[in-house]
C-alpha cells in the first residue's frame, strides 16, 4: 500500500495512516535487541541481536524486503518531510540490522535503478537527500550547543519560573525546559544506515556510495557520501564535547565501513 501511495497533488496521501504504517514496520523488526530501545539509534551496541531471536529477525527482514519494504525505506529516507525521512531511515536500519546481505543487495538494485524517489513528491532521491541531511548536521553543531547552553540557563531558573504555578502548569514549564534539541538532520540515523549498507565488506555498495555513476557518463547526480561523512567529522573535531561526541564516533565507524 505504501508503494502504491505515491504522493501527487491530485491524490494526497493519508499522512496519519502513512506514519502509523511505517511505525508498525519498524516495530515488526524490533526483535531481540540487546541493551537498548527501538528509538535508540546512537548506542553502538543497539544492533546486537539475542541468539534465540536472530532467526526470527532474519525471516522478517527477508519477508518484508520481498514485499518491497527496502524500497519503502529508501523512498521515505529521500523525503524532504522530516518525519517521513526519520522513519524511513529507522526502517532501513532495522531491515539492515546485522548487516543483512539480502537487504543490502536489494537496496543496491533499487538505488541503481533510480527507484528511490522521495515518497512525498519533493523530487529528491535517496543519496542527494542523505547528503543534504549530513550537511544540515554541520549547521546543527553550533545550533545544538546554543540550545543546550540556553537550556542550562533556563534549568537553573526553574524554581523561579515555576514559583506560584499550579502543579500542572509547573509540569508544563518543566517539560518545555527539558525538551531535547529537535534535529532536522537525523545524523545518527543516516550514519547508522550507511554503515549497515556497507557492513561485511560490501564492495559493490561501498563503490556506489562514492560514485553512483560508477565511473560512467550519466545523468545521475554526482554524490560522494564518503566525502560528506568525512566533512562532517572534520567540522565536529574542533568542537567535540558531550553534545556531539556520539556523532563523531558514528562518523569514524561509518568511514571504517566505507
Amino acid at each position: 500500500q505504501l508503494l502504491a501511495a505515491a504522493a501527487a497533488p491530485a491524490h494526497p496521501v493519508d499522512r496519519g495512516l502513512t506514519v502509523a504504517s511505517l511505525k508498525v514496520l519498524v516495530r515488526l523488526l524490533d526483535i531481540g535487541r540487546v541493551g537498548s530501545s527501538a528509538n535508540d539509534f546512537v548506542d553502538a551496541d543497539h544492533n546486537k541481536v539475542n541468539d534465540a531471536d536472530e532467526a526470527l529477525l532474519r525471516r522478517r527482514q527477508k519477508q518484508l524486503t520481498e514485499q518491497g519494504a527496502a524500497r519503502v525505506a529508501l523512498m521515505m529516507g529521500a523525503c524532504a518531510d522530516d518525519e517521513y525521512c526519520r522513519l524511513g531511515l529507522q526502517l532501513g536500519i532495522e531491515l539492515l540490522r546485522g548487516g543483512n546481505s539480502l537487504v543490502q543487495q536489494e537496496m543496491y538494485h533499487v538505488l541503481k535503478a533510480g527507484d528511490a524517489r522521495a515518497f512525498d513528491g519533493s523530487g529528491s532521491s535517496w543519496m542527494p537527500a542523505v547528503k543534504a541531511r549530513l550537511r544540515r548536521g554541520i549547521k546543527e553543531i553550533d545550533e545544538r550547543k546554543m540550545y543546550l547552553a540556553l537550556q542550562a540557563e533556563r534549568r537553573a531558573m526553574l524554581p523561579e519560573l515555576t514559583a506560584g504555578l499550579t502543579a500542572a502548569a509547573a509540569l508544563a514549564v518543566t517539560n518545555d525546559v527539558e525538551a531535547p534539541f529537535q534535529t532536522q538532520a537525523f545524523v545518527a540515523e543516516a550514519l547508522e544506515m550507511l554503515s549497515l549498507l556497507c557492513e561485511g565488506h560490501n564492495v559493490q555498495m561501498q563503490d556506489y556510495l562514492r560514485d553512483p555513476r560508477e565511473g560512467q557518463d550519466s545523468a545521475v547526480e554526482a554524490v560522494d557520501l564518503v566525502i560528506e561523512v568525512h566533512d562532517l567529522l572534520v567540522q565536529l573535531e574542533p568542537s567535540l564535547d558531550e553534545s556531539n561526541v556520539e556523532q563523531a564516533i558514528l562518523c569514524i565507524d561509518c568511514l571504517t565501513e566505507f
Side-chain angles (χ1 to χ4, degrees):
Q1 290 178 339
L2 286 170
L3 287 173
H11 302 90
V13 298
D14 184 327
R15 181 183 182 82
L17 179 60
T18 300
V19 169
S21 299
L22 289 167
K23 289 180 178 179
V24 167
L25 290 174
V26 171
R27 182 58 65 181
L28 282 171
L29 294 163
D30 181 27
I31 300 167
R33 190 185 302 280
V34 175
S36 72
S37 70
N39 292 322
D40 185 357
F41 290 89
V42 176
D43 187 343
D45 291 332
H46 84 270
N47 284 313
K48 292 181 179 178
V49 181
N50 292 320
D51 292 341
D53 294 322
E54 185 171 1
L56 175 59
L57 174 62
R58 289 287 178 261
R59 285 198 301 272
R60 288 194 180 175
Q61 287 173 329
K62 182 176 184 293
Q63 181 182 24
L64 289 175
T65 297
E66 290 172 346
Q67 294 175 350
R71 184 181 170 210
V72 168
L74 293 169
M75 290 170 63
M76 293 297 174
C79 288
D81 182 285
D82 287 342
E83 189 170 25
Y84 285 168
C85 177
R86 177 179 59 82
L87 288 169
L89 291 170
Q90 290 181 358
L91 177 58
I93 289 168
E94 293 298 335
L95 286 167
L96 290 159
R97 185 151 57 102
N100 191 312
S101 59
L102 182 149
V103 182
Q104 289 176 335
Q105 192 68 13
E106 177 63 19
M107 288 188 174
Y108 171 76
H109 289 312
V110 171
L111 289 169
K112 187 173 176 59
D115 289 337
R117 307 298 295 182
F119 177 87
D120 61 359
S122 56
S124 185
S125 56
W126 191 79
M127 287 186 62
V130 172
K131 172 183 173 180
R133 296 288 174 177
L134 293 174
R135 291 192 175 187
R136 174 62 188 156
I138 292 175
K139 295 180 180 179
E140 286 187 358
I141 296 171
D142 289 335
E143 291 176 7
R144 181 181 285 103
K145 287 180 180 293
M146 292 176 62
Y147 179 88
L148 294 176
L150 179 60
Q151 184 180 55
E153 293 176 7
R154 296 181 68 202
R155 187 178 289 125
M157 295 174 59
L158 261 179
E160 180 181 343
L161 293 172
T162 57
L165 298 180
T166 65
L171 179 60
V173 171
T174 300
N175 288 341
D176 179 63
V177 169
E178 297 297 340
F181 175 77
Q182 295 298 310
T183 180
Q184 294 178 309
F186 312 118
V187 166
E189 291 91 338
L191 292 172
E192 187 68 30
M193 186 169 174
L194 287 171
S195 293
L196 288 169
L197 280 168
C198 297
E199 189 170 313
H201 305 291
N202 185 355
V203 176
Q204 190 176 50
M205 184 63 79
Q206 291 169 340
D207 291 343
Y208 188 83
L209 295 177
R210 288 187 182 92
D211 180 10
R213 299 171 301 177
E214 298 184 313
Q216 304 296 319
D217 290 335
S218 170
V220 175
E221 181 179 348
V223 177
D224 186 339
L225 292 180
V226 179
I227 292 296
E228 298 299 329
V229 174
H230 173 268
D231 287 349
L232 174 59
L233 180 59
V234 168
Q235 295 299 318
L236 284 167
E237 191 274 333
S239 56
L240 277 179
D241 60 20
E242 62 183 9
S243 73
N244 55 32
V245 66
E246 292 291 351
Q247 287 189 4
I249 292 171
L250 285 171
C251 283
I252 294 169
D253 290 343
C254 190
L255 290 169
T256 301
E257 292 295 343
F258 284 145

